[in-house]
Amino acid sequence: MGTDSVRHFVIPTFGSVLLITALILGGMLYTANGDSSRDSLVTQMLINAIIVLGIQIYVGNTGVLSFGHIGFGGIAGYTFAVCAIAPGRKMLQIPDAPFGLAEVDLTPLQSGMVAVALTVAVAFFVSLALSRAGARSGAVSAVVITLALLFVVHEVARNWTDLTRGGKIGLSFSPFDGATLQGKNWIYVLLLCAILLARLFKETRIGRFAQAAREDDLAARTMGINPAIQQMAALLISVAVVSAGSALRVFELGSINPRLFFFDYTLLTLTMLIVGGRNGVTGALVGVVIITFGSEFTRKLAEMEIDSLSWILREGLTDIFLGGAMLGFMILRPAGVLRDWEFDHWLLDRLRRCKKNKAPEQQSDVKKQSLKAAKTVCAPAVLKVDGVTVNFGGFRALKNVNITASADEIVGLIGPNGAGKTTLLNVITGLVKSDSGRIHLAEMNLSGMPPSQIARSGLVRTFQNFRLFSNLSVRENIEAVHLMAGQYRSARSLPDVDALLRQVGLWEFQILRAAALDYGNARRLELARAAAAAPDFLLLDEPTSGMDDKESMAMIDQVRTMADMVGSGVICIDHDLNFITGICDLVYVLDQGRVIASGTPVEISANPAVKAAYLGTATNVS
Amino acid sequence: MMELIQQIVDGLGRGSIYALLALGIAVIFGVMHLVNFAHGELITVSAYTSYWLLTSGFDWWLVTLAIILVAALTSVVIEFVAFRWVRGAPDFTMLMTSFGVHFLVQALFVMYVSANFRQFSRPDWIFDTWKIGAISLEIYDLAVIATTLITLLCTYWLLQHTMFGISLRAAAEDFDAARLMGIRSNRVIRGAFFLSGLLAGVAAVFWLMRSGQAGPIAGLNPMLKGVLAALIGGLGSLSGAVLGGFVLGLVEVLLIARLPTEIVGLTDGIVFVLIALLFVFRPQGLITVQHVERV
Amino acid sequence: MVNRIRPAFIEKERGSMKQSVLLTMFGGLSAFLMLGTAHAGSFNIDAVLATSLSACKAAPSGTPLKIGYAADFSDLGGFADKPASEAAKYFVDLVNCAGGVDGSPIKLIIKNIEGNPEVTQRVGLELMDAGVSAMLGPPFPDFGEPLLQVTAGKIATLFVTSTEPMLANSKALSYLVAFDDTAQATAAAKFALSKGWKTAVTFSAPGPYFGYNPKIFSKVFKAGGGTIAADYNFVPIDDMDFSTQANKMASVGSAPDVVYSAMLSFQAAVLRGQLDAAGVKTNYLVTDAFEATGGYFTKGVEGFYHTTHSFPAAGSRVKALADGYQATIGAPLENASFGGLAVDAIAVIISAFQSTGSMDPKILGAAIAKTDGVEGATSNLSYSGASGSPAKPVFVHRVVNGAPTLAATIQ
Amino acid sequence: MVDEILNVENLNTRYGSIRAIRRVGLTVKAGEIVCLIGPNGAGKTTLLATVAGLLNPVLGRVVFNAKDITGWSPDRVLRSGLSLVPEHRRIFGNFTVRENLLVGGVTQSPEHRENLLDEMLTLFPVLKEKLSTPAGYLSGGEAQQLAIGRALMSNPNMLLMDEPSLGLAPVLVDVVFDLILKLRDTGRTLLVVEQNAQRILDVADRAYVMRSGKIVVEGAASELAGREDLFDTYLGGSGVAA
């Protein structure tokens, strides 16, 4: 636990503090010549950084592209302005403000808090709508709903003139009462909060779940993660940060109008986020710095008067830079400069390496934890598939399938291609609805439950074509599921992440991106990831496909030890009869959607019907 | 009753243009899975083309042809310059690419033409009307509706009965299978952009006849309407896009006519709320396109 | 007197290179003669406008009077600030060519705010750091307000082409150069009443300008005995189909005497076309948006009245400016009214400088509020008594045969 | 060798970061039926996809009709006379049967396309009755015939078939295998990936057995069909000496 909190809390916090220190020092260096416009540029950049980090919390972790965050910023900005502008000035600007808002007189701090609270409340309803519409990475519905929010806020701001004074003009603080920020302390404090929130959110359970769902929505759900809740939480936190940043922006500009939080700013902030790398906090900050100084540089360039270059050094150059940056990065490096590289990860890595040089790491012997002993106290759970039938259109994929498996045995499921094995697994894990029949685990009826709940009840699967969380590291893949188990399966003793990693031989590769694994290791990671859920049953879909004989045989051991470690039963689809006979206590044979035989592996290999089904002879059972 | 009929006619006139724009967006979405937010730039380019031609004394008939051609060519050029490099990339990447194109084209016009609106003259018949009882039919509306119907029929014929159309639809349904049949991906995508540009060109002709002005952001509004209509229709579905266009036109007209004056300004906002609600309860749009995910 | 004749002369002679060279020589001579008669140290706008850049006096040696221009060249404000800044540059060249102001040359620093409020503030700060004594501002309050936050009453800002009354605040040293919308709409209503029109229909959109003008118009029109039959809503810039509103108006039966709106010309032309088609024959009175979009030559606006900043009558300073610009630069000034307003702004700053003799932004800025009868290009301007909006006439144009004619000048 | 129509040498293909086939080599002679059998995940489909141009190999070459077609795009491969009937058929469900066939003939001249269409309808009488039915409504057998007919519309010299009998009722499996023989009789070369090993060995001339991305056994089909140990080999036995 100690090393965990170091990795997930202490080092990221330390890294965040270093990052903000670097930003502030860099800013001071840049403004050292006393140029007030440089000073203003740095202030604006830091405020933009807060807003971009806010967006990063949602877009980065969930992978859902949102155009609506600046809309939330607009709500926050107006709320802040209406609350914070002195009543005397409001009487000039919006004397007819509804609800007596013209008389409200709050300090900027209070106004900011009101703005954040109100916006988060709005965000709550938006998040309900988003989850109803099935927002997930790449979903068009999320883009539409968030875009709608942006436009609606803009339209309301333009039309509700009693409150907002309408388009083109908006509300403004008096330029004399020192409305602009006194010193930058507030910005520093808020920026530090934003960095910490964004960085630590990535490490929280919610953040991890959201990232898992970002990488593979379906796999996450079958691992017991319900993305809707994580997305909701991410949205609320991110909107809170964006709102605080937007209030600061309004305070710094001393005025607000509908254009301030509309399309241009949305695209600007998104460009900043994308250029640096949307999945990382360091990336987001680097993007803000690149775009800020890039456009400032092009602006200065455009002001230069060089006759031979006047065809390019002219108005519009900054927009060319922004559009070009967007286009160029999308084409050449869509994941951004830094992808999801984090400064503190790198730091931790360095520290580790130093330590290693000083004192060689003691070779830890993995004690194979056996949880089975603890489990035998109660009777092993039984999974019962009872008369399941599935039709796809006119095609009957499963016909009245009955299968029983006990959590202390390993059950094989074999049959030729197209026999319905994977479909059966899909039905058990809730991905496919059965037309009739029931599935019971112990006394629980699982039929009709969503996949995430089935996984939490103790059935976790692997996939024939891997569905790893490909941009997360090997370790993070396991950790995400392990966290789920910690939350929902705490009644069981949970396997240790380190032990799992060592067991499947991935200890060396733990910081590698899952996408970089080779075939065999990817299969083993899938196995370890499923085991991390501490399930009652591991459902394995072709765990040895694509492996050579040696690897397949090693897999027998690995599956056994895994099942042993977490104390679960196994249901396993495979083609490799050596594997199946080597590992299974009981085998069911499926052909054309029905169970044609069951028995011990020895019985099965002797059964002519099985051979017929496999190799397809004239004696095909029909 | 008469009022309602009048509004339906007005709505169909509006919706026709939206339908053409939406169809162009849906065609590209079909083959590339790209929501083309740069579709409006075709209108912008058309607008400047008409400005230059009309102020140099060319006739509207000629300008009409030129607009359609220029829009189609621009569409192909944009594909060649930008979208061809992000083919097959995640939706996020393609979406942001289209915004990048939108940004760049706009900036180029600010840089090299002018930030100002440019005006050009409309054709003479544009405001003529026929009266039938209490209903006044604008020739323009009739022309729009008729042209749109003819264009849609031609497009339908093209898609249903020519090898190009069949290839396009095949690519939209299963890109890899289409390639296995010998359909050239370059050619079919370029074709889709060309067709999309033609449709945008026809829409641009009518849009510009009425607006009579060119500016760097002349394409923003038509783009938004087109994207919204395509979204209402369900993006992947071509007939859905056309339907979406007409629905959007009708809803707008009815809202403008029926809302109390104080909140008529919110028409666009209300349309957006309606679309958001549609997506909350029917995320696939009005017409659902099946995409099966294999596990 | 000479320069009164000059514009007509230019009209006649335009097109021939040789003659235009002769012309500039003549212009230089006449300017020289005029300055010779003028009181030394004084500033005469007519003389300056008649100066030829090919025959300059010795460069003034005094400390330059620095004027900043936070101009918007983006797609939002470029239509106004592009021609205005061109005219400003040209005018400053003329002033310096004619010997500057009280021995000081004028230095104009133009910076692009890029249609971005953040950049606007930085540009404001950069101009102040550069030591300008006053600055010209962008056309719209959405950038004007952020600019005022950084100038914070320390330096005068003259919004060249804005008509937004809320921007005028002499306490914050924030001034308009054009008349404000209150004056513009009041003049429109007075003009409508003077034409004997009794009923009006307005088209408006919520907010400033598009909403504010019709609001003031209605108030004054009703006070003068007129009736507002209806107010219709429209979406500024984007709306291209008014058939719904047109059919509604047609169903009322009697057409109003006048339709008043602040909509842009290409929209107004559509509205008019559809109203004509629906059988509603009426008069159209619209704001200065016409020249903002240069829409005289479209057929749909024939007969329109509109309120605007200047009229390039023969012999007027605006005409002198436009003609001089064309003769010197070789291309027409894209918008003479906006150009004229920029010249007005510089003239006001010069006048305040001359009255105080100080280049200190605070002293100079405060002096503007007390200036009276400054001779500008569009008209004379007076700030005393007003809170930052100048008192100046509103010109009402009427489009006849595709060209503007002066229908009235309302003080 | 004149009669070698397809020659795959030392082919390696990655699927994402995973090496799905390793050092695969095989040859097919003109007029032959060659089958490729092996367990799921052995890399059979990957091999066909690489030959057809859907995947790019990291190493090795594919020679077809004496032309090196390695790395060609699928449409170019098709134009050179090699057509793939993909796994799960991948027919265009929203298209009519006729349109599906027409898409298959996209590389042909219009007249030739019509001729081929007639030819297909005589070859597949079932399709004739359903010409204007949306292909999504066809039964499994009809759909498989359509998929084969569609591939034949490009008039290929050689046909690659991926699991043609998958998911078909036994009666229809017979139809498909009859068809395979019939196609050979029309002079076409076939490379068939098939789950139903016994059946395909009956009709094929030669066979390759794949496991774990490699070819483990190769030989005359009749010889392999008679081998009792095939069942074990196929299902993961330690392998029979080739």
Side-chain angles (χ1 to χ4, degrees), chain C residues 304-322:
Chain C
F304 272 40
Y305 295 94
H306 51 95
T307 52
T308 188
H309 307 286
S310 70
F311 186 80
S316 68
R317 293 187 192 125
V318 172
K319 184 127 181 79
L321 172 74

Side-chain angles (χ1 to χ4, degrees), chain A residues 469-500:
Chain A
F469 306 134
S470 36
N471 282 316
L472 301 187
S473 73
V474 168
R475 190 185 181 88
E476 286 167 336
N477 263 273
I478 297 179
E479 277 176 344
V481 178
H482 190 256
L483 282 167
M484 184 286 295
Q487 191 174 13
Y488 297 105
R489 300 199 53 79
S490 47
R492 298 171 65 101
S493 351
L494 303 179
D496 183 52
V497 176
D498 289 349
L500 284 170

Side-chain angles (χ1 to χ4, degrees), chain A residues 369-376 492-495 534 564-567:
Chain A
Q369 306 161 273
S370 180
L371 305 173
K372 220 158 205 171
K375 201 192 60 170
T376 42
R492 298 171 65 101
S493 351
L494 303 179
D564 232 37
M565 265 176 76
V566 298

Side-chain angles (χ1 to χ4, degrees), chain A residues 515 519 547 549 577-578 615-616, chain D residues 17-18 196 198 211-212 235-236:
Chain A
Y519 210 91
M547 289 182 166
D549 298 336
L577 210 64
N578 280 348
L615 298 178
Chain D
S17 63
I18 295 144
N196 205 332
Q198 214 58 286
R211 255 184 68 76
S212 308
L235 293 171

Side-chain angles (χ1 to χ4, degrees), chain A residues 544-559:
Chain A
T544 69
S545 98
M547 289 182 166
D548 60 26
D549 298 336
K550 228 190 264 165
E551 283 181 307
S552 295
M553 289 305 113
M555 200 65 180
I556 294 183
D557 238 22
Q558 253 148 6
V559 171

Side-chain angles (χ1 to χ4, degrees), chain D residues 85-198:
Chain D
V85 184
E87 198 183 7
H88 308 295
R89 302 171 200 124
R90 305 277 282 268
I91 52 173
F92 303 110
N94 293 328
F95 282 39
T96 62
V97 168
R98 192 184 133 79
E99 286 173 336
N100 264 288
L101 290 172
L102 286 178
V103 173
V106 75
T107 52
Q108 306 297 309
S109 69
E111 314 86 68
H112 199 198
R113 199 182 299 138
E114 289 301 321
N115 292 340
L116 280 165
L117 188 63
D118 291 340
E119 211 175 288
M120 287 311 126
L121 295 183
T122 35
L123 194 59
F124 306 101
V126 207
L127 300 181
K128 198 163 191 172
E129 300 149 30
K130 306 216 165 178
L131 261 187
S132 49
T133 315
Y137 294 123
L138 294 184
S139 72
E142 291 163 343
Q144 186 61 53
Q145 294 184 45
L146 175 59
I148 297 171
R150 187 180 63 171
L152 289 173
M153 282 293 289
S154 66
N155 203 15
N157 308 33
M158 182 174 175
L159 210 55
L160 308 171
M161 294 171 113
D162 200 348
E163 305 268 10
S165 76
L166 184 62
L168 294 185
V171 196
L172 292 168
V173 175
D174 292 345
V175 175
V176 168
F177 282 99
D178 285 349
L179 194 66
I180 290 176
L181 284 171
K182 224 195 264 179
L183 288 175
R184 198 235 327 249
D185 296 342
T186 62
R188 290 180 168 100
T189 312
L190 287 102
L191 176 59
V192 185
V193 164
E194 180 54 62
Q195 176 70 40
N196 205 332
Q198 214 58 286

